[in-house]
Amino acid sequence: MPTSVASSEDGENESFIVDIDQLQSHGIGQADILKLKAAGYHTVAAVHGAMTKHLLKIKGFSEIKAEKVKEAARKCLPNSTGFTTSAELLQIRKRCFRISTGSKQWDSILLGGFQSGSISEVFGEFRCGKTQLAHTLAVMAQMPKDRGGAEGKVAWIDTEGTHRPERIMQIAERFGLDPHTTIENILCVRAENSDMQHEVLCQLAEYFVTGEYRLLIVDSLMALFRVDYIGRGELNERQQKLNQHLSKLCKTAEEFNIAVFMTNQVQSDPGASALFAGADGRKPVGGHVVAHASTTRILLRKGRGEERVAKIQDSPDCPEREATYIITTGGINDPEKV
Ligand code: ATP
Ligand code: MG
């Protein structure tokens, strides 16, 4: 388990995460709690939101036991009915934070940065800076809140083998953070196939329950799914697995109030509707399943010279605006003024 190098100042993230051990106070034995943990349930909210049929897959869990566990979870949670007024929701949403991109222009079109509690996706062709942005965010997430950070740790699912600690250290230096502490605070896992990508995501709950994590990076979402499922014949199966993965990402973002940031590749589709594709007919891979899961979607493209352009394509609270940025040794930045 990680050490608490970067726990939040006010502990607000910890306070709403109810550890699954709390079920003990409502009559659930330690042995059953251990089985729930082994099955990937680490919080009371995860048990409360679990389908009964999934709990029944745990060895020794009967209908009666599953119901008892769910009842205990209901008793542990302050509002287990799920009904809230919009005003109460506003209070809960005050927990949400934004992580700066490293570029003022980009932050301003995103009203401060990438938001916690939901999934954000950037997609674009190779070399447009998706992985560089991921590196910058992994540093920014550790910065003080008044400098666009979230004062927390970062988890990184690397599906392409492109995570570079050296880059993190360079970016940390730009922002005056200790480079060694900064890389210590990033938990990386290399996924070799799409099954593993999902498994490691489930395992991360064990770390997130500490309340120390603020950002989860998936770079990239689709690379392994595209290799593991080939052709039309396997498309249905791929989309089903992908849907499960995205649903878990979404639940993780909400359960732990973490910002989930994922990168995505593009494919050429001249016939694609303007709704999904950029002006050049490129659209993100993964189809409707990914489109529905991403709360915020941003298209990246190359601009003039070394410049790159980010365009918001879908967001519940930001208009469709564009920002220009460059990639520097210190990460994503604003273009130099001429
Ligand atoms: P892919 O789809 O292949 O994964 P990507 O969008 O993730 O592409 P990145 O790896 O984020 O692309 O960006 C690559 C770009 O970043 C290259 O143009 C490279 O020159 C630039 N780059 C990498 N390191 C540095 C650095 N230290 N300083 C400046 N630019 C850099
Ligand atoms: Mg990349």
Side-chain angles (χ1 to χ4, degrees):
M1 293 297 281
T3 50
S4 46
V5 187
S7 59
S8 81
E9 204 176 68
D10 41 24
E12 64 195 26
N13 233 33
E14 289 91 334
S15 61
F16 77 91
I17 299 172
V18 186
D19 197 296
I20 198 165
D21 287 329
Q22 296 293 320
L23 292 180
Q24 269 193 71
S25 56
H26 292 283
I28 306 300
Q30 185 63 34
D32 286 337
I33 291 178
L34 283 176
K35 283 185 191 171
L36 284 163
K37 284 184 183 174
Y41 299 97
H42 292 273
T43 66
V44 171
V47 174
H48 182 251
M51 293 281 286
T52 303
K53 69 172 183 182
H54 291 150
L55 293 177
L56 291 176
K57 284 189 187 153
I58 301 173
K59 200 160 176 266
F61 269 53
S62 60
E63 293 260 2
I64 293 169
K65 183 171 282 185
E67 191 40 53
K68 203 177 150 204
V69 164
K70 290 206 110 187
E71 180 61 28
R74 274 192 286 275
K75 286 181 183 157
C76 282
L77 292 176
N79 173 20
S80 56
T81 65
F83 292 102
T84 53
T85 64
S86 186
E88 284 165 337
L89 214 53
L90 180 68
Q91 283 307 314
I92 294 172
R93 282 196 52 78
K94 284 192 177 150
R95 279 203 294 256
C96 289
F97 53 85
R98 291 180 190 265
I99 300 174
S100 164
T101 60
S103 145
K104 289 196 181 71
Q105 227 188 92
W106 200 338
D107 283 353
S108 83
I109 65 164
L110 276 180
L111 309 178
F114 289 99
Q115 205 175 18
S116 69
S118 63
I119 301 180
S120 301
E121 173 194 0
V122 296
F123 63 97
E125 59 178 319
F126 65 97
R127 284 185 66 238
C128 64
K130 304 181 291 294
T131 300
Q132 297 301 318
L133 174 63
H135 282 81
T136 311
L137 288 172
V139 174
M140 295 311 292
Q142 302 184 40
M143 293 280 285
K145 288 177 186 164
D146 60 3
R147 293 185 60 201
E151 298 169 12
K153 292 186 178 184
V154 179
W156 187 309
I157 301 177
D158 184 0
T159 70
E160 299 180 350
T162 48
H163 175 79
R164 294 287 176 275
E166 301 86 344
R167 291 289 293 125
I168 297 288
M169 292 171 87
Q170 287 171 339
I171 300 167
E173 271 176 19
R174 167 181 162 203
F175 291 100
L177 292 181
D178 176 60
H180 289 280
T181 311
T182 311
I183 52 173
E184 285 290 344
N185 284 334
I186 303 174
L187 180 70
C188 297
V189 53
R190 172 85 165 95
E192 306 281 355
N193 60 54
S194 55
D195 281 344
M196 195 177 160
Q197 186 175 331
H198 190 63
E199 274 160 32
V200 296
L201 171 63
C202 297
Q203 287 163 5
L204 278 173
E206 195 179 331
Y207 292 87
F208 293 159
V209 75
T210 62
E212 297 172 322
Y213 285 79
R214 298 289 180 271
L215 172 65
L216 166 62
I217 289 166
V218 183
D219 184 24
S220 72
L221 174 73
M222 290 298 301
L224 297 172
F225 282 96
R226 289 179 94 183
V227 173
D228 295 346
Y229 300 92
I230 302 160
R232 294 238 147 241
E234 291 186 330
L235 191 61
N236 258 346
E237 194 187 349
R238 184 190 88 173
Q239 291 306 87
Q240 269 176 29
K241 293 269 184 180
L242 183 60
N243 209 0
Q244 280 170 9
H245 187 58
L246 287 160
S247 154
K248 183 75 187 169
L249 282 170
C250 195
K251 277 191 179 158
T252 302
E254 289 182 9
E255 195 180 332
F256 302 105
N257 190 29
I258 280 175
V260 172
F261 171 83
M262 59 190 197
T263 67
N264 199 3
Q265 302 163 330
V266 282
Q267 68 189 116
S268 233
D269 185 356
S273 82
L275 201 60
F276 288 111
D280 55 358
R282 284 168 200 275
K283 62 171 193 177
V285 295
H288 291 276
V289 172
V290 183
H292 288 304
S294 298
T295 302
T296 305
R297 300 195 104 179
I298 299 179
L299 166 69
L300 308 185
R301 65 168 199 270
K302 289 176 189 135
R304 273 183 305 140
E306 287 305 304
E307 287 182 1
R308 310 275 199 276
V309 181
K311 181 173 188 225
I312 299 179
Q313 290 236 317
D314 185 8
S315 160
D317 44 20
C318 304
E320 293 187 7
R321 287 194 286 166
E322 284 190 357
T324 309
Y325 63 97
I326 53 167
I327 305 166
T328 70
T329 308
I332 300 296
N333 209 335
D334 291 297
E336 282 152 30
K337 289 194 182 78
V338 262

